[in-house]
Amino acid sequence: MAEKIFMLNDLRHPALAVPATPVAPGGTLVDALARPLHDLRISVTDRCNFRCVYCMPKEVFGKDYPYLPHAELLSFEEIARVAGLFVAHGVEKIRLTGGEPLLRKHLERLVAMLRAIPTPSGRPLDLTLTTNGSLLARKARSLRDAGLDRVTVSLDALDDSVFRRMNDVDFSVADVLAGIEAAHAAGLGPIKVNMVVKRGSNDDQILPMARHFKGSPVILRFIEYMDVGASNGWNMEEVMPSSEVVRRIGAELPLLPLAANYAGETASRWRYADGSGEIGVISSVTGAFCGDCSRMRLSTEGKLYTCLFATRGHDLRALLRSGADDLAIGGAIAQLWRGRTDRYSETRGIEPAGTKAGAKKVEMSYIGG
Ligand code: SAM
Ligand code: SF4
Ligand code: SF4
């Protein structure tokens, strides 16, 4: 692996600026390309118990990797306060992610705090979580009791040896399936399962995964392997376009296209012609969906990112810890979103991110997927 260890703490993050004129919350914020702010993804830890080859390869994330010390992390109180401000400014969906979010101790306490946030419309907040499933069998019930609506579980293969190679920590498929089962029993549905397809590594698992989840309540989604971060040694030859995934499945299990559930949905939906469920494909590389991107990301240590492929975040934690009031912090968030012009996936290959001296794309395990 040619890349050097990427010291996240070394990134220079501009402080989040407070606008001269306060911005009172009141409905949806729109960015410079007319995209509304609807989703907030919150990374609650930069640590993970897996070493997925496409995300946290062992060569980079070894035992000496400098993870964030606990004091650098946002506390649950800080996260809930920020989330409340986002909701007041129109966010309707919050996803907890990481790293592996279930490694953060007492996460249920945060879930309960987020559940208690009132929304301007009175409609309940959509509260969800993405997990590798390793701790789900143990935690599904308490997460549900705390108020979590749904989970998305990542699973890259049905064949045990392929999966163990992908997660690189010898974790078994059976244990993830047990987590999915527990989530289903606890009522954390509809459950989505995400499979990252890396050509030559697990593309032979597309059909076994489709066959396994066909006819079940689980919605299986295939994600194109992305050039996030600076660690995974990404190259285009290992990307399998979603069109090929749909073709391969459709040749054996006929598929029909479905309309999107809402504008900005990342997955294109397909249903089995025999009525036995649906799948999704997320064409993060071959079919950019920046035009509808309504997501802001909050990193583990309180940096805001307006794009998954950003090279720098905006330091919200400093503002939070400066004693600023809600109007000032909410105004700073509003100003950041209003100035947003990110559309990396649409310009990939034309203006690659991280090409300026010292600028590197942020890691997926730090910012959350
Ligand atoms: N650890 C949790 C998990 O794996 O579900 C949550 C965090 S993980 C970064 C979120 C999602 O990002 C996972 O579904 C994972 O498969 C996906 N992901 C990570 N690296 C990726 C890459 N290079 N390309 C596409 N998806 C990726
Ligand atoms: Fe961990 Fe999720 Fe990244 Fe895999 S994809 S290494 S489980 S954070
Ligand atoms: Fe959104 Fe950035 Fe992804 Fe485009 S590249 S969809 S702007 S996160």
Side-chain angles (χ1 to χ4, degrees):
M1 178 79 43
E3 290 291 345
K4 285 212 198 76
I5 287 184
F6 174 34
M7 304 284 283
L8 295 165
N9 300 357
D10 284 352
L11 283 176
R12 284 170 298 118
H13 300 285
L16 195 59
V18 177
T21 318
V23 187
T28 303
L29 289 172
V30 176
D31 74 6
L33 301 177
R35 297 168 296 187
L37 172 62
H38 275 151
D39 304 56
L40 176 63
R41 298 198 174 182
I42 303 174
S43 172
V44 293
T45 179
D46 60 337
R47 291 163 197 257
C48 188
N49 53 345
F50 282 17
R51 286 292 174 274
C52 301
V53 289
Y54 51 75
C55 179
M56 295 181 78
K58 263 185 186 158
E59 301 85 335
V60 177
F61 294 86
K63 63 177 174 11
D64 297 327
Y65 187 80
Y67 294 102
L68 295 166
H70 198 262
E72 301 278 316
L73 271 51
L74 289 190
S75 67
F76 287 166
E77 285 69 21
E78 287 171 325
I79 293 174
R81 180 178 177 205
V82 172
L85 296 172
F86 271 96
V87 171
H89 277 288
V91 159
E92 295 170 346
K93 178 171 166 188
I94 293 183
R95 177 178 297 281
L96 298 177
T97 177
E100 174 45 42
L102 299 187
L103 288 182
R104 181 88 185 246
K105 285 204 182 83
H106 312 300
L107 189 72
E108 296 84 349
R109 197 164 75 75
L110 176 64
V111 170
M113 290 162 84
L114 298 176
R115 181 80 284 160
I117 295 172
T119 62
S121 66
R123 278 195 305 276
L125 192 64
D126 185 10
L127 197 51
T128 172
L129 173 146
T130 304
T131 173
N132 62 24
S134 58
L135 301 170
L136 198 51
R138 253 181 279 164
K139 292 194 169 243
R141 172 57 59 190
S142 58
L143 288 165
R144 178 67 185 148
D145 290 347
L148 190 70
D149 290 318
R150 302 180 287 118
V151 288
T152 297
V153 183
S154 304
L155 178 62
D156 296 325
L158 208 58
D159 178 275
D160 219 37
S161 57
V162 177
F163 184 54
R164 286 175 197 263
R165 259 202 315 277
M166 294 294 283
N167 66 54
D168 214 9
V169 293
D170 221 20
F171 202 84
S172 75
V173 172
D175 286 337
V176 179
L177 293 178
I180 294 172
E181 197 48 51
H184 181 62
L188 286 169
I191 297 171
K192 291 176 183 154
V193 167
N194 280 353
M195 169 176 171
V196 174
V197 180
K198 203 173 166 201
R199 194 193 287 279
S201 298
N202 67 337
D203 58 298
D204 63 340
Q205 295 298 298
I206 294 171
L207 268 161
M209 287 283 283
R211 286 185 208 116
H212 181 83
F213 289 109
K214 183 172 182 284
S216 81
V218 165
I219 300 170
L220 176 60
R221 305 183 322 163
F222 299 89
I223 307 181
E224 288 176 354
Y225 170 43
M226 281 188 280
D227 49 336
V228 281
S231 307
N232 62 11
W234 183 86
N235 89 63
M236 188 67 199
E237 266 124 60
E238 290 173 322
V239 177
M240 177 171 292
S242 294
S243 53
E244 192 173 336
V245 172
V246 170
R247 225 178 10 255
R248 278 201 196 182
I249 298 173
E252 178 181 318
L253 311 166
L255 290 168
L256 297 168
L258 276 174
N261 283 317
Y262 54 89
E265 190 170 32
T266 47
S268 314
R269 302 168 62 215
W270 296 79
R271 70 175 178 85
Y272 292 111
D274 66 5
S276 58
E278 72 173 79
I279 61 157
V281 288
I282 303 183
S283 312
S284 353
V285 178
T286 64
F289 36 77
C290 302
D292 285 325
C293 180
S294 57
R295 291 175 289 282
M296 182 92 97
R297 293 179 158 86
L298 178 63
S299 80
T300 316
E301 54 173 341
K303 308 284 190 275
L304 284 175
Y305 287 83
T306 53
C307 178
L308 182 55
F309 296 92
T311 51
R312 53 171 54 186
H314 298 259
D315 189 357
L316 178 66
R317 191 186 65 191
L319 191 59
L320 273 174
R321 295 185 180 173
S322 72
D325 65 14
D326 284 357
L327 196 61
I329 300 172
I333 292 169
Q335 178 164 273
L336 176 64
W337 187 263
R338 285 177 174 167
R340 174 182 188 252
T341 55
D342 304 83
R343 43 191 281 276
Y344 173 75
S345 287
E346 287 179 353
T347 59
R348 176 185 278 111
I350 309 168
E351 306 164 13
T355 48
K356 283 197 212 110
K360 274 191 179 174
K361 288 180 292 180
V362 68
E363 295 296 332
M364 186 87 147
S365 55
Y366 163 79
I367 196 178

